[in-house]
Amino acid sequence: MASSCSFTSPLCTWLVAACMSFTCGSRDPHQPPSVLRRYTNNKREGLSAARRRKLSAKCGVGGEVVNGSLVSSFSGSSHSIQSLMASCLPFEPCNEYYSSVSSLGFFGDNGFSSFFGSNNSTATLNRRQRRLRLNRVTRSGEAMAVAVQPDEEVTTKKKPHMKQRRVVVTGMGLVSPLGHEPDVFYNNLLEGVSGISEIETFDCTSFPTKIAAEIKSFSTDGWVAPKLSKRMDKFMLYLLTAGKKALADGGITEDVMNELDKSKCGVLIGSGLGGMKVFYDAIEALRISYKKMNPFCVPFATTNMGSAMLAMDLGWMGPNYSISTACATSNFCILNAANHIIRGEANVMLCGGSDAAVIPIGLGGFVACRALSQRNNDPTKASRPWDINRDGFVMGEGAGVLLLEELEHAKKRGAKIYAEFRGGSFTSDAYHMTEPHPDGVGVILCIEKALAHSGVSREDVNYINAHATSTPAGDIKEYQALIHCFGQNRGLRVNSTKSMIGHLLGAAGAVEAIAVVQAIRTGWIHPNINLENPDAVVHDSKAAMSGQAKAARGHSPDDNGIGNVIMLGSLIVEICIFIGGFGFFGGSKLRGQGASTQHQIEGLITY
C-alpha cells in the first residue's frame, strides 16, 4: 500500500499540474486564458471539480484550485522537477511526493529528475528547506509561465513598415486594326483613321451586320514557330506576337533575358472568349467524325493557354494565368499583374488581353442579342460613342500587351520608362447581364475607390479614356457617372478609342492602355470621331466645359501635357485603373503641330 502511494502521489501531483491548468504566478482573474487554453473544448478544459478535490485531497492539498494556464515548456534548467512543480503550483506538493521521487523506478534511476534531463537528485527536504527553494525558484517559474506567450506575440506582431514598390511601363506590343506598332497605331488614331470595314474573312451576306474592325494583314514570321502558327487559334497568335513585341520594345534582349530572375517574371494575359475558331472548327469536324478533329482543339480553346504558351517559350516561372471578365479582361489582368509586382511576387510582368471573335459563331452570337450596329452602308461611321444616332457597337479583334516592371529593377537595367501605374479598383453593378445600373452607382463607386487607392485627387485627373462602346444605354450612364465625379474639373477631357477600332472585347482595355501611354508620351489626345450630333445629356453639359484643339490631331488638355489618366474597362463589372506620367506631370507640351483649324469640344468629349 505504501509503495502504491509512493507511485501515485507524485504522479497525481504531476497530473494536477498538467491537467488542471493552474496559474503560474499571480494573474488578474479577468485576464483571458493563454494560447493553449483556446485550443481545448469545453469538455476537455480540465477535470471536474469533484475530480480535482479528490486528487488534491489524496496529495494532502488544502485550499482552492485556481483555473489557469498549462505550462508546456521546459527550459532545461539545472533545477529538478521539484523546482518546476514548486514554481508552478499554487500549493506545495505533499510529503509523499518528496519521499518517493528518488526511489521511483518507473521513470529510471533518477526518477522524474532524469526523465527531464536533470542531474539533480535531491533527497527528501524538510518543510523549511522546501519553502526556501520555493522562494528561490518563484522568478524562474514566472519565466516559464511567460514561455507560453510567444505564440500570442507572433500572431499580433506587426510587420515592419516597408516602402511600397512602384510599377512602371517599360514596353508595349500590339496587334490592331490600325497597325501593329505603337507609333503607327497612335498616329492613325490622331489622324482620325477608322479601322472598321466590311468583313472579308467569311461570307456574312446572311447576317444583318456585315462590318467589323478586322485585322486585314498579319504575319507571325519571326515571332511564332511555323508549326505552331498552323495549329493555334488566332487569339493565341495575336497574343504571342504582341507579347514578344512588348519585350523587344522594352529592351529585353537575349543578354538581358539571361540575367533575369525567371522565378520573378510572369505572364498574365487574358481573353474574353478564348479560341473560338479552333473550337468552332472542331464542332464542324465532329459532324463528320471525331477522327477529323484537331487534337489540340480543347487546350487551344481555353483562355489561359496563350499565357501558358508564352511563358513556356520564355522560360518564365513566375505568376502565370489568365483572367476572363468579358470587356474588363485586360484591365483586370493589368491591375493584378501590377499587384503581383507591388507585393514582391514578381519583378517583371507581361499583361494585357487578346481576342479574335470575328467568325460566324462570334458575329451570330452578338447579332442574336441585338448588340451590334447595322450601319453596313457606311462602316467608318458605324461606331459613334455618345452620338444620338448610335445603334450598337462594332466588333473588333486584336491584342495588346504591356511590359510592367518594378521601378528599381527597371532603373538598374537602364530601361526606358514610358509611364507609371498609379492604382486601380473594381466593382460590380449586381444589376443586369448587359444593362448598366440606372443610377450608375457601380461606375461611381469604382472611380472613387480607384482615386483612393492611387492617392490621386480628382483635380489632378485631366484625361479619361472611356469604355464608351457606342451602345444607347451604356454611353450615357458612363458619361453621367463621369460628370458626377469630375463635373467641376475644367481641365478634364474624355474620348473613346472604340470610335475608330471598334470593340476588341477582351483585348480592348490593353490596346486602349497603349493609346493612353502614347497620349502621355506625346501630349496629344486622339479625337472621338463620328460625334456629329451629341446626345442630349452630352450636349447639355457643353455650357460648363468647352475648349479648342488642333484639327485632326486631337487635343492637349493644357500646356503641362497629360498627367493622370483614368481607363474605364466595363460598365457591368466595372474596373478603373490609373496610369500617370513618370517623373513629371504629363507628356510633351503642346508644340503647335497639326493644322490650324479648330475643333469644338462638346462638354468633356474631344472630337
Side-chain angles (χ1 to χ4, degrees):
M1 187 70 179
S3 61
S4 174
C5 183
S6 175
F7 173 79
T8 306
S9 294
L11 183 59
C12 290
T13 307
W14 172 245
L15 288 175
V16 170
C19 300
M20 294 173 62
S21 301
F22 288 107
T23 301
C24 295
S26 60
R27 186 175 62 120
D28 184 350
H30 299 290
Q31 180 182 349
S34 68
V35 177
L36 292 176
R37 181 73 181 276
R38 292 200 303 268
Y39 297 101
T40 60
N41 57 39
N42 292 335
K43 293 183 179 180
R44 300 182 59 189
E45 279 188 351
L47 301 176
S48 66
R51 178 67 172 156
R52 280 179 284 182
R53 285 195 298 271
K54 182 178 179 181
L55 287 174
S56 300
K58 194 165 187 176
C59 292
V61 177
E64 187 180 354
V65 175
V66 183
N67 244 351
S69 60
L70 172 64
V71 176
S72 61
S73 175
F74 301 97
S75 58
S77 71
S78 61
H79 293 294
S80 65
I81 188 63
Q82 295 99 313
S83 301
L84 173 65
M85 301 297 292
S87 64
C88 292
L89 299 178
F91 56 84
E92 188 174 353
C94 61
N95 291 331
E96 286 291 335
Y97 166 74
Y98 289 106
S99 63
S100 60
V101 166
S102 60
S103 61
L104 188 62
F106 182 79
F107 292 103
D109 293 339
N110 293 325
F112 278 102
S113 300
S114 63
F115 181 71
F116 288 106
S118 173
N119 294 323
N120 185 0
S121 56
T122 306
T124 306
L125 302 174
N126 60 39
R127 184 171 297 276
R128 184 176 180 182
Q129 289 173 321
R130 291 198 298 269
R131 286 181 178 175
L132 287 174
R133 172 158 288 189
L134 176 62
N135 291 336
R136 285 199 303 271
V137 301
T138 298
R139 289 298 177 185
S140 66
E142 290 175 356
M144 291 181 193
V146 173
V148 299
Q149 300 305 320
D151 244 359
E152 278 187 74
E153 293 176 4
V154 169
T155 57
T156 59
K157 186 176 180 181
K158 293 183 179 179
K159 293 182 179 180
H161 176 72
M162 296 179 66
K163 186 177 180 181
Q164 178 169 307
R165 288 156 56 98
R166 295 169 66 183
V167 181
V168 293
V169 181
T170 57
M172 300 179 288
L174 83 163
V175 175
S176 82
L178 287 182
H180 310 325
E181 300 296 332
D183 290 339
V184 174
F185 166 70
Y186 200 64
N187 281 332
N188 282 329
L189 288 179
L190 290 177
E191 297 294 340
V193 176
S194 175
I196 300 170
S197 62
E198 293 183 1
I199 295 174
E200 299 176 2
T201 307
F202 61 94
D203 182 9
C204 58
T205 53
S206 62
F207 292 90
T209 294
K210 302 174 176 61
I211 57 175
E214 281 184 307
I215 293 176
K216 303 295 185 183
S217 60
F218 171 70
S219 174
T220 59
D221 292 348
W223 303 109
V224 183
K227 187 176 181 180
L228 288 175
S229 183
K230 292 177 182 178
R231 294 176 173 177
M232 287 182 174
D233 189 274
K234 285 199 297 181
F235 100 93
M236 293 178 66
L237 298 177
Y238 294 162
L239 183 155
L240 290 171
T241 303
K244 292 185 177 181
K245 285 186 174 184
L247 287 176
D249 184 60
I252 305 292
T253 62
E254 186 175 350
D255 291 338
V256 174
M257 184 73 80
N258 292 334
E259 296 295 323
L260 294 176
D261 179 358
K262 302 294 198 312
S263 66
K264 288 295 188 77
C265 299
V267 183
L268 211 176
I269 305 174
S271 177
L273 297 172
M276 292 192 71
K277 180 66 165 60
V278 166
F279 203 71
Y280 176 76
D281 290 344
I283 293 173
E284 292 299 308
L286 185 59
R287 296 179 187 277
I288 302 171
S289 169
Y290 73 90
K291 296 179 180 179
K292 299 291 185 180
M293 295 174 65
N294 181 346
F296 297 96
C297 64
V298 173
F300 282 177
T302 58
T303 59
N304 72 300
M305 193 53 64
S307 282
M309 293 297 291
L310 183 55
M312 286 188 284
D313 197 353
L314 302 175
W316 286 14
M317 302 172 67
N320 178 245
Y321 59 100
S322 70
I323 297 173
S324 182
T325 48
C327 318
T329 293
S330 287
N331 282 21
F332 268 103
C333 290
I334 293 170
L335 178 58
N336 279 270
N339 286 336
H340 281 303
I341 295 175
I342 290 170
R343 292 194 297 263
E345 298 160 354
N347 293 326
V348 181
M349 291 290 296
L350 284 169
C351 57
S354 178
D355 256 325
V358 184
I359 59 175
I361 192 172
L363 181 69
F366 283 112
V367 164
C369 63
R370 301 177 183 179
L372 299 181
S373 170
Q374 298 182 17
R375 195 182 288 262
N376 300 313
N377 58 342
D378 195 359
T380 61
K381 299 284 187 180
S383 184
R384 43 201 316 114
W386 297 297
D387 189 85
I388 198 170
N389 294 315
R390 63 192 183 281
D391 67 332
F393 75 86
V394 178
M395 287 184 68
E397 60 180 356
V401 177
L402 294 180
L403 178 64
L404 298 186
E405 199 165 346
E406 195 274 324
L407 175 59
E408 297 305 321
H409 187 277
K411 284 181 174 181
K412 185 176 180 180
R413 71 177 186 86
K416 183 177 181 180
I417 297 174
Y418 292 134
E420 180 176 6
F421 172 87
R422 302 295 299 273
S425 187
F426 43 83
T427 56
S428 172
D429 266 357
Y431 174 73
H432 189 271
M433 283 193 298
T434 57
E435 295 294 321
H437 195 285
D439 298 330
V441 292
V443 181
I444 293 171
L445 178 61
C446 186
I447 291 174
E448 290 176 345
K449 288 174 64 178
L451 285 167
H453 180 259
S454 63
V456 176
S457 65
R458 297 169 189 260
E459 295 75 19
D460 289 334
V461 177
N462 56 1
Y463 170 39
I464 294 176
N465 188 293
H467 182 60
T469 60
S470 186
T471 56
D475 290 8
I476 296 306
K477 295 305 177 185
E478 180 182 18
Y479 187 82
Q480 289 173 331
L482 296 179
I483 290 293
H484 179 275
C485 294
F486 302 102
Q488 303 303 315
N489 191 345
R490 297 185 61 86
L492 180 68
R493 290 296 177 265
V494 181
N495 64 8
S496 173
T497 307
K498 294 180 182 69
S499 63
M500 288 174 272
I501 65 171
H503 195 343
L504 272 57
L505 308 176
V511 172
E512 290 162 19
I514 292 174
V516 163
V517 173
Q518 290 290 73
I520 291 172
R521 291 182 63 202
T522 64
W524 287 99
I525 296 174
H526 70 72
N528 193 90
I529 68 172
N530 301 327
L531 185 54
E532 297 166 354
N533 298 296
D535 194 285
V537 175
V538 176
H539 189 273
D540 291 343
S541 69
K542 72 178 181 179
M545 298 183 183
S546 62
Q548 298 174 343
K550 300 292 182 180
R553 297 295 293 179
H555 177 71
S556 179
D558 52 50
D559 289 340
N560 293 321
I562 301 165
N564 294 298
V565 183
I566 286 181
M567 280 185 54
L568 289 169
S570 176
L571 294 179
I572 308 304
V573 178
E574 296 86 3
I575 181 163
C576 173
I577 63 176
F578 278 91
I579 299 176
F582 174 75
F584 55 92
F585 251 166
S588 307
K589 290 187 177 181
L590 190 62
R591 300 186 183 279
Q593 50 188 327
S596 59
T597 312
Q598 298 176 345
H599 274 295
Q600 182 68 30
I601 310 300
E602 291 287 349
L604 301 175
I605 303 171
T606 303
Y607 73 102

